[in-house]
Amino acid sequence: VHKTEEAVSKPAAQAPAQTSKAPEAPAQAEAPAPAADENLHKIVSPMVGTFYQSPSPDKDAYVKTGSKVSEDSVVCIVEAMKLFNEIEAEVKGEIVEILVKDGQLVEYGQPLFLVKPE
């Protein structure tokens, strides 16, 4: 019985967090970016983990908005279960937008960067 109560309480605890994120989505939808989004390549997270823009806190970010990347350019690290996985661009182009913040938890398939292909 206690396990059922815990299972019920956990989704209830997550619901307010999802609700607090909802106001951000309309603000992004109103921006003109979605129209231009069709021509842009999305670099997505291949796993659930923590997003890091640089190899360590005292180092510069791998890429910034406006950075040129090639297919094998490392653009960030996603830490999953204490393993640091380098994520490559997989496309040649220019970073147009960074969609997540340093230290943010990311989901599988979540877009991390928008790249204008060359």
Side-chain angles (χ1 to χ4, degrees), residues 43-54 61-63 75-80 84-85 87 97-107 110-113:
I43 300 173
V44 297
S45 179
M47 65 197 74
V48 174
T50 305
F51 171 86
Y52 295 108
Q53 286 185 299
S54 59
Y62 285 110
V63 295
V75 293
C76 67
I77 292 176
V78 175
E79 177 193 1
F84 292 87
N85 303 281
I87 309 304
E97 189 175 354
I98 301 171
L99 303 171
V100 291
K101 294 184 174 144
D102 197 40
Q104 181 178 333
L105 181 65
V106 294
E107 299 292 328
Q110 179 178 347
L112 305 175
F113 299 90

Side-chain angles (χ1 to χ4, degrees), residues 42-95:
K42 291 179 184 171
I43 300 173
V44 297
S45 179
M47 65 197 74
V48 174
T50 305
F51 171 86
Y52 295 108
Q53 286 185 299
S54 59
S56 65
D58 59 338
K59 303 278 184 183
D60 290 334
Y62 285 110
V63 295
K64 297 179 175 131
T65 302
S67 295
K68 300 284 186 187
V69 294
S70 61
E71 292 86 352
D72 58 351
S73 297
V74 174
V75 293
C76 67
I77 292 176
V78 175
E79 177 193 1
M81 298 175 61
K82 307 240 186 233
L83 293 175
F84 292 87
N85 303 281
E86 292 183 338
I87 309 304
E88 295 179 348
E90 298 177 357
V91 66
K92 185 176 181 180
E94 178 183 339
I95 301 290

